[in-house]
Amino acid sequence: MSARALFDRSTAGALTERLAQQYRAVFSNPPSPSERRSWENSLPALAEVLRDAGLDEIEVLLEHQLPLTSLRADAVLVGSHPTTGRPSYVIVELKQWSDARMVPDADDLCLVTGRGNRPALHPLVQVRRYCDYLRDFSNLLSDEEDLVAGVAYLHNADDLDIDGLFGLPDAKAHIFTSTSRGELIRYLQTRLSPLDGALEADSLLESAVAPGRQLMRVAADEIVHGGQFRLMDEQQVAVSLVKRAAALSRRSDSKEVIVISGGPGSGKSVIALHLMSHLGRNGRSVVHATGSKSFTTTLRYVVGEKNQRIPKLFRYFNDFSAAERNGLDVLICDEAHRIRRPSAGLNAAGAQGSGGSQVEQLIDAARVPVFLLDEHQVVRPGEMGSVAAIDAAARTKGCLVRHVDLNSQFRCGGSRAYEYWVLRLLGLEPGGPIKWQPDENFDVLVAESPEEMEEHLRMRQEAGCTARMTAGFCWPWSNLRSDGSLRDDVVIGSWRRPWNSKSERSTSGAPASSLWATERAGFGQIGCIYTAQGFEYAWNGMIFGPDLVWRGNEWRAVQAENKDRSVAHAAPHQFDRLMRNTYKVLLTRGLTGTVLYSTDPETRALLRTLIPDRATRAT
């Protein structure tokens, strides 16, 4: 909309309703009362600034969603530069804060009245990250350095109320309050001419999106050199809290446990790799641990290509049963939902480790234990990683616990609506399945046959996207033939395909088991929960097997149809929950789209009623 449309206060209510509709489309829930209040209070303040600056004709993109994420910039001001005439974009972060102060011993976190002790990212840091991110993921801006600038406007605060926040100078982003409103007006006039900005807005909205670099492909650079990923909002809050705790741990006897929870693609592993890089380069002893063989093996492989010593820093949870108490500065427990209920083994006599449960051993092993988890990814009996369990173990040991909830979404094209749709589909959120509403950020398609699913994915793969097929563990998984080739275990009618290789060596053109998700040759084999969990690819084809079928108006878990020996003896109610979590993981591996197929006719009928678009085959 043009800036002029913001000036009429009589339209404020209609504008709020329009934004509320956009919010529901993205998040599948209505905005909170506080979100609506922020629009009602902050947008008039922005409108008055633009009017007084004479910028009536520029375009204003409200609640602009950043590419491949659910993060939204409050406003992007769009027009042309007054001197060069080139396109010019100013991201504006609007804050209703009346006062704020810096968190002691942290240079990018602040405490705000009304938020309790929950730290917030410094607004200048936040808006600068938005600027960098927009440049990184918009082809229009990727090679241009000076087209994007940022402003944080705290319109309810005076300079004295946020005096401590002015110590972060930044040439590309600036912070203003009610005291410096005149300076804000003059600054905007140096970035934007009063001319119409419709063409520049269209160019940005139509710009091709450059997808983010896949995690595994740049893991080595992140560990060795750092700085390959942009940390946004709560991701940066989490990293800063860990850095602060690591620094304080050397100056005091206190011990902090950091628990970071978030859904698929919210950046948990990016946080882990960034911390590994930063802490290692700053002389802190840090180790990364998971309960996933595929994930750990892949990390060891990709980082080992540049430095053979680094893979030793990637361990397994059960490596710490006899660890020295507080022997590490930081222990990063990635995929912490896979922590086991019983420990893998008790300490040997005379060992310095703590014994006890696995979560207690991990807490004891470092001055700052960090747990990153998604509670909906518990998929095997004996896995007990949850926020409540970690909290209880930490508090029993007298540790201070800090929580971070990652409210951004980077997998599934940034579509929180898709993740919510999956939770509703599988009954992990109440209310029953809902119809998928087409989303420009993410495609959901239904296939009538496995051939149709595979052909659609093959076209995507040949077009330069990564694509993989996954399925429930409903077919036997054979060993290699005598000639080293894979057996076609997954059989649906006349369609036959192999599972990914069991071997950790490449064989007959198929990659090693742990590299199935990241090596191009993995297409054509079927991945299961063990090889897919923790990984991502652009397009995901997912087969519901006969172990989870729709009957009447509910899901039915059929234990006899599952071939995974690890769940063979689970109680029926436990098996049901584990299958729903398993399929939730398999459904949320894609970055830009998912194709669904079920071997069961009644389940396919359900999917057809929920998903309006069908996978297409080459003709």
Side-chain angles (χ1 to χ4, degrees):
M1 68 174 65
S2 70
R4 190 183 301 278
L6 287 176
F7 298 163
D8 187 355
R9 285 185 175 270
S10 65
T11 64
L15 180 58
T16 297
E17 288 306 316
R18 179 178 168 187
L19 291 173
Q21 291 175 7
Q22 294 177 1
Y23 188 100
R24 280 191 291 268
V26 173
F27 300 106
S28 298
N29 284 307
S32 66
S34 63
E35 187 85 18
R36 294 180 72 102
R37 283 194 301 272
S38 71
W39 296 330
E40 293 166 355
N41 296 330
S42 293
L43 293 181
L46 174 62
E48 291 172 0
V49 166
L50 296 178
R51 182 189 59 208
D52 293 348
L55 300 176
D56 304 38
E57 300 300 326
I58 69 167
E59 288 290 305
V60 182
L61 306 178
L62 296 177
E63 296 294 320
H64 180 67
Q65 188 171 351
L66 299 179
L68 296 180
T69 169
S70 288
L71 290 171
R72 296 162 298 138
D74 290 339
V76 181
L77 310 182
V78 183
S80 56
H81 196 279
T83 303
T84 67
R86 304 192 67 203
S88 185
Y89 304 90
V90 180
I91 297 178
V92 181
E93 184 64 20
L94 298 165
K95 298 293 188 187
Q96 295 190 84
W97 303 352
S98 57
D99 61 78
R101 66 185 187 279
M102 296 298 294
V103 172
D105 301 300
D107 60 6
D108 57 1
L109 300 179
C110 52
L111 295 175
V112 184
T113 300
R115 289 174 58 103
N117 289 321
R118 186 164 63 91
L121 192 62
H122 192 295
L124 200 60
V125 176
Q126 181 183 7
V127 75
R128 177 56 191 264
R129 299 295 171 90
Y130 284 8
C131 294
D132 291 341
Y133 190 88
L134 190 64
R135 274 199 302 267
D136 285 346
F137 289 90
S138 300
N139 282 353
L140 172 72
L141 307 173
S142 59
D143 296 325
E144 302 285 352
E145 181 63 28
D146 195 45
L147 298 189
V148 184
V151 164
Y153 184 29
L154 283 62
H155 54 88
N156 286 340
D158 294 333
D159 282 358
L160 291 177
D161 298 325
I162 62 163
D163 183 58
L165 274 60
F166 287 110
L168 289 178
D170 193 311
K172 295 295 183 181
H174 304 269
I175 187 168
F176 299 95
T177 70
S178 62
T179 306
S180 52
R181 182 177 179 276
E183 295 175 31
L184 170 59
I185 291 172
R186 287 189 289 275
Y187 175 73
L188 293 178
Q189 290 170 335
T190 69
R191 299 292 311 186
L192 295 159
S193 78
L195 301 177
D196 185 295
L199 289 178
E200 290 81 4
D202 289 344
S203 296
L204 178 63
L205 294 173
E206 295 168 3
S207 173
V209 173
R213 290 157 287 193
Q214 287 194 41
L215 174 62
M216 293 303 144
R217 282 292 150 221
V218 296
D221 284 337
E222 178 64 24
I223 296 300
V224 177
H225 302 297
Q228 294 297 310
F229 292 100
R230 298 288 180 199
L231 295 170
M232 309 293 285
D233 290 14
E234 298 303 307
Q235 294 176 344
Q236 183 61 50
V237 170
V239 166
S240 295
L241 285 175
V242 174
K243 293 177 182 178
R244 176 178 181 270
L248 292 176
S249 69
R250 291 194 175 182
R251 304 202 299 264
S252 68
D253 293 329
S254 62
K255 180 166 176 165
E256 290 188 22
V257 175
I258 313 291
V259 182
I260 304 167
S261 54
S266 55
K268 297 184 296 295
S269 294
V270 170
I271 289 170
L273 292 175
H274 181 92
L275 286 170
M276 288 287 291
S277 174
H278 173 86
L279 295 169
R281 285 183 287 115
N282 286 274
R284 307 291 185 183
S285 58
V286 57
V287 168
H288 180 282
T290 78
S292 168
K293 180 180 179 182
S294 292
F295 194 58
T296 300
T297 300
T298 302
L299 284 171
R300 287 175 170 177
Y301 172 78
V302 295
V303 300
E305 289 184 325
K306 291 197 172 185
N307 189 321
Q308 294 297 320
R309 298 169 64 188
I310 292 177
K312 300 173 186 177
L313 301 176
F314 294 90
R315 316 297 304 179
Y316 296 103
F317 292 151
N318 59 9
D319 289 340
F320 296 89
S321 60
E324 178 184 358
R325 187 184 299 273
N326 294 333
L328 296 169
D329 286 322
V330 178
L331 175 60
I332 300 169
C333 301
D334 204 353
E335 302 270 300
H337 40 266
R338 304 200 66 178
I339 291 173
R340 306 292 295 180
R341 194 173 300 277
S343 176
L346 297 177
N347 290 346
Q352 297 183 48
S354 62
S357 69
Q358 190 170 81
V359 66
E360 290 174 327
Q361 293 169 358
L362 295 170
I363 290 173
D364 282 346
R367 294 179 181 275
V368 183
V370 180
F371 296 91
L372 302 108
L373 73 156
D374 175 2
E375 293 178 303
H376 284 310
Q377 290 198 45
V378 174
V379 297
R380 290 294 172 266
E383 293 178 351
M384 51 73 66
S386 68
V387 173
I390 295 168
D391 280 3
R395 287 177 174 138
T396 296
K397 292 181 170 293
C399 300
L400 175 64
V401 183
R402 297 191 186 277
H403 298 94
V404 179
D405 181 19
L406 299 174
N407 57 14
S408 53
Q409 166 93 326
F410 286 84
R411 191 175 289 145
C412 305
S415 175
R416 286 191 187 175
Y418 176 67
E419 186 186 3
Y420 180 73
W421 182 85
V422 169
L423 294 175
R424 287 285 296 268
L425 172 69
L426 297 173
L428 297 172
E429 287 282 344
I434 54 176
K435 188 171 182 178
W436 170 251
Q437 301 298 323
D439 185 338
E440 64 181 11
N441 297 302
F442 195 79
D443 291 321
V444 181
L445 309 172
V446 63
E448 288 299 310
S449 67
E451 292 90 348
E452 189 175 84
M453 178 193 72
E454 183 177 25
E455 183 62 23
H456 185 91
L457 295 172
R458 188 181 303 280
M459 289 190 295
R460 298 292 183 173
Q461 177 92 353
E462 291 174 353
C465 299
T466 53
R468 293 293 182 273
M469 295 179 287
T470 59
F473 204 155
C474 300
W475 295 267
W477 196 349
S478 304
N479 292 321
L480 297 173
R481 294 190 178 97
S482 58
D483 63 358
S485 62
L486 302 176
R487 298 179 186 272
D488 290 332
D489 286 322
V490 181
V491 180
I492 304 173
S494 61
W495 187 77
R496 309 171 68 91
R497 291 293 180 270
W499 290 111
N500 62 264
S501 176
K502 285 184 176 181
S503 173
E504 286 304 326
R505 293 184 178 182
S506 176
T507 178
S508 298
S513 175
S514 298
L515 303 179
W516 165 83
T518 55
E519 294 293 310
R520 186 172 178 83
F523 185 80
Q525 304 133 44
I526 311 300
C528 71
I529 186 64
Y530 294 112
T531 43
Q533 189 171 28
F535 296 96
E536 61 184 27
Y537 18 86
W539 273 87
N540 175 34
M542 207 289 296
I543 301 172
F544 278 102
D547 58 350
L548 190 67
V549 296
W550 185 259
R551 292 293 179 266
N553 61 352
E554 64 181 6
W555 290 101
R556 183 177 300 171
V558 186
Q559 201 157 358
E561 295 287 354
N562 190 276
K563 307 302 181 184
D564 186 352
R565 287 178 293 180
S566 73
V567 299
H569 302 294
H573 72 279
Q574 184 185 30
F575 178 80
D576 178 272
R577 180 71 179 198
L578 293 174
M579 287 305 99
R580 294 172 194 247
N581 282 357
T582 294
Y583 279 105
K584 189 263 184 180
V585 172
L586 295 178
L587 282 165
T588 52
R589 300 302 92 196
L591 281 163
T592 58
T594 292
V595 183
L596 279 69
Y597 171 76
S598 174
T599 61
D600 175 67
E602 193 169 338
T603 308
R604 285 202 303 277
L606 168 71
L607 296 176
R608 282 195 297 268
T609 66
L610 300 177
I611 304 170
D613 295 325
R614 178 172 166 174
T616 55
R617 297 182 64 180
T619 58

